[in-house]
Amino acid sequence: MSYTITHFAPETRSRIDAFFNRFGQGTNAYLEGKARAAQIQALEAKSDGDLALMGLTRDRIVAHVFRDTYWI
């Protein structure tokens, strides 16, 4: 016969929740940063003429990609 524990003390549950919360935040930050790096590379690969049609200059690419997170 085996037993399964389904109840954790509140402090144990709190520590487990905090661990997964921190882990999830780190994972989200990594994935979002990776996606934005790909977007920056794609824009940097465009010609100056293509960027001008988009209303961008090379020095404003990073600000454009992060425009929703930073007030630049």
Side-chain angles (χ1 to χ4, degrees), residues 3-71:
Y3 295 95
T4 303
I5 298 172
T6 58
H7 174 73
F8 293 104
E11 60 273 1
T12 303
R13 182 175 296 277
S14 176
R15 291 177 69 191
I16 292 170
D17 289 347
F19 168 78
F20 283 109
N21 186 22
R22 286 190 302 272
F23 180 78
Q25 288 174 351
T27 302
N28 287 343
Y30 169 76
L31 293 175
E32 185 172 330
K34 189 171 183 177
R36 290 182 190 246
Q39 188 178 2
I40 290 170
Q41 288 176 341
L43 288 172
E44 287 177 342
K46 293 185 179 289
S47 69
D48 289 337
D50 290 338
L51 290 174
L53 289 174
M54 297 173 66
L56 287 174
T57 57
R58 292 207 178 273
D59 63 334
R60 299 296 299 164
I61 289 175
V62 174
H64 173 74
V65 171
F66 286 96
R67 69 191 176 278
D68 62 330
T69 58
Y70 299 107
W71 194 65

